[in-house]
Amino acid sequence: MFGKAYKLKSNNTLKNSEKKHLAQRILNEFPAATDEKVKELVPVKSNTSCMKLILHSGETVGVYVVDNVPIVIEAGEVLVPTVCALWKVPDLLPTLIIHSLVLPKLAGGAPLYAPGVAMAGAESFPRFARGALLAAATADNAAAGAVGRATLSSANLLRTTMGVCMETLHVFGDLLCKEAKFTKLERPKLQPPAYSPSVDSVAAHITLLSIQQPIREEWPSLVKETSPAEKSTHFPVLNEPKTICEDETFDNEELEFDETVLTDSSQIEDDPVPTDMDELLQWCLLSFIKREGKNLQLPLKTNLLYKNHLMPLCPAHRSLDVKKSSYKKMSKFLDAMQQEGLVEVRELEKVGPQESMSWEEAMRALLDKMTPGTELRFPDGTVKLLKSRLEPIKMEVVTRSGNKKVTLVSNLEAYGLSPGALAREAQRGAAAAGGVTRSAAAKHDQLMVQGDQTHFIAKLLIEKYGLPKKYLEGADKALNKKK
């Protein structure tokens, strides 16, 4: 986000009411936040300001600065804590432990890939959903070094070995951290993360688990009973329980362990994997049914089954490719598995448009399916692309104390208009006092002009600045008013 140069648009000091509103937003948006933690980030007696920055991409973001230290980034309607905030409150976000050599790559603008994450045991790995905000710290320093957004859930990250797992938003060492207005920022040296178990500890648990006694399967075996002559072609599904003699005894204390230590990936890697591609396909399918059959949401498309479920179950030293099997296609493979009673395959009816339609109907149907977008072109030649519908400028007349009316104009900044410049024009053109304000619940500045000046504002925006009427709420009603 701050890997390339940005421009400072404005810098306003927050009032006490605005600081309280910011603290309440932090408390609402972060489940791990408490009143004490929020006071660490935004103390009551602190100098807090909001910097509006125009990024290299044209997007406008806000950075809340507390005592010359950036604490929170406002991107759209979402708050993103900076690494400085996570140094004060480390548990505000789920934290991934990455290899030390990966952090400089993130500072260069690269996303975080799954091989760069130091995998811990399943019982201690942080739990998060796809799209959640994450922090990243190195294995030798628990102080956060990067903040980003998860592209995979924690469950999918544990069982994959490739691909992007986090989109980087802010990294220690980017241009925001080097801003001259801030106090010189230095990443503190904290002890290695305490929640990450050592390799020897995990290995000891796995050894105990595999030698002493296997875990009882909650699922019945999915493989049909075979005769002794057919056992030569049988291959195992994950860890099948070994036969235990009735006279075997075990010490209960030796069998106390956390069952989650044996992760799905370690189960797959410890099992003998079929060398034949046909058997490997069936091995992955049976493993998928056994692991996710209870929580599976049906129907499931064939391409999603192959890409999102079967391929991640393939061990790292093997490559799953249906084209190299005798089936050649997933449809033929699933038909064969249906004959064995493992799956049920149905072809969904395709629902299409009418057999014939006019060009206008086709274009209307196409536009209805498209995501709204807006392109803004400014007089200085800059272009801003918004992937959303542009909200109109809103004018309203409200009554203040003393039964005095004032005109409030909102959403000017979205159109590249400066409320301060318009306030000065209103003072000259309408001979009325004007200024810039922001209510406690508002996220952007508002233009405030004394009296009912909707006619003057509408005429100024439409005639001088060329704003189309449809983007000014109540433009016709305002223009029909008498001066």
Side-chain angles (χ1 to χ4, degrees), residues 345-422:
V345 182
R346 294 180 182 178
E347 184 176 356
L348 298 179
E349 297 181 0
K350 297 182 179 180
V351 180
Q354 301 175 357
E355 295 182 358
S356 62
M357 63 173 57
S358 64
W359 177 255
E360 290 77 12
E361 292 175 337
M363 290 300 297
R364 191 181 306 111
L366 177 63
L367 292 175
D368 290 341
K369 296 293 184 180
M370 295 176 65
T371 304
T374 307
E375 183 181 84
L376 298 177
R377 295 182 179 270
F378 300 100
D380 59 356
T382 59
V383 179
K384 182 178 180 182
L385 181 62
L386 302 177
K387 296 182 180 179
S388 61
R389 193 180 304 279
L390 188 63
E391 295 296 329
I393 295 176
K394 183 179 180 181
M395 298 185 299
E396 57 180 339
V397 180
V398 298
T399 303
R400 294 294 174 90
S401 59
N403 200 24
K404 294 181 180 180
K405 293 183 178 181
V406 294
T407 302
L408 297 177
V409 186
S410 308
N411 203 30
L412 290 169
E413 295 179 350
Y415 292 82
L417 299 173
S418 173
L422 291 175

Side-chain angles (χ1 to χ4, degrees), residues 39-312:
K39 290 180 181 179
E40 284 285 330
L41 299 177
V42 188
V44 177
K45 296 182 180 180
S46 62
N47 183 16
T48 306
S49 61
C50 179
M51 297 173 54
K52 292 294 183 63
L53 305 178
I54 301 178
L55 303 181
H56 181 77
S57 61
E59 180 185 2
T60 301
V61 299
V63 178
Y64 290 93
V65 183
V66 180
D67 293 333
N68 295 326
V69 176
I71 294 297
V72 180
I73 303 167
E74 184 179 33
E77 298 183 356
V78 179
L79 295 181
V80 180
T82 64
V83 291
C84 306
L86 296 174
W87 296 342
K88 295 185 178 182
V89 185
D91 58 347
L92 191 62
L93 296 179
T95 303
L96 293 178
I97 307 304
I98 62 176
H99 302 294
S100 301
L101 297 178
V102 176
L103 187 58
K105 303 294 184 182
L106 301 183
L112 177 61
Y113 289 85
V117 180
M119 296 295 183
E123 80 285 352
S124 60
F125 197 77
R127 299 299 193 260
F128 51 86
R130 179 183 178 184
L133 291 174
L134 299 177
T138 53
D140 59 347
N141 190 354
V147 180
R149 190 175 299 280
T151 58
L152 294 174
S153 65
S154 55
N156 289 334
L157 179 56
L158 278 171
R159 61 172 181 254
T160 188
T161 58
M162 61 186 70
V164 177
C165 63
M166 187 184 80
E167 175 191 0
T168 306
L169 299 177
H170 164 55
V171 187
F172 173 71
D174 58 14
L175 295 181
L176 181 66
C177 295
K178 298 178 182 178
E179 175 64 48
K181 298 179 182 295
F182 303 153
T183 304
K184 186 178 180 180
L185 303 179
E186 295 183 1
R187 185 185 177 204
K189 181 67 176 179
L190 303 180
Q191 61 181 358
Y195 68 82
S196 180
S198 62
V199 177
D200 296 337
S201 175
V202 176
H205 281 296
I206 294 178
T207 303
L208 176 66
L209 185 62
S210 60
I211 292 177
Q212 297 295 337
Q213 184 178 3
I215 303 175
R216 291 187 176 182
E217 290 186 358
E218 297 180 358
W219 284 63
S221 177
L222 296 176
V223 182
K224 297 179 179 179
E225 293 293 332
T226 56
S227 62
E230 297 174 337
K231 287 184 179 180
S232 59
T233 60
H234 171 69
F235 50 87
V237 180
L238 296 180
N239 280 346
E240 295 186 347
K242 300 177 183 178
T243 305
I244 303 177
C245 299
E246 294 181 358
D247 56 351
E248 276 189 84
T249 59
F250 297 91
D251 190 353
N252 292 332
E253 295 182 357
E254 293 181 354
L255 296 178
E256 292 181 358
F257 54 82
D258 192 346
E259 296 183 358
T260 59
V261 171
L262 187 57
T263 61
D264 299 327
S265 58
S266 63
Q267 285 180 330
I268 296 173
E269 292 176 357
D270 291 342
D271 282 338
V273 180
T275 57
D276 182 71
M277 187 60 68
D278 289 3
E279 295 183 352
L280 180 60
L281 272 171
Q282 189 172 1
W283 185 85
C284 292
L285 177 63
L286 292 174
S287 301
F288 162 68
I289 296 174
K290 183 175 181 179
R291 289 170 5 95
E292 304 184 22
K294 287 184 177 180
N295 301 322
L296 191 60
Q297 294 183 356
L298 299 176
L300 181 62
K301 292 184 178 181
T302 302
N303 60 334
L304 297 181
L305 170 66
Y306 179 67
K307 181 180 179 181
N308 297 345
H309 299 284
L310 299 189
M311 291 185 69

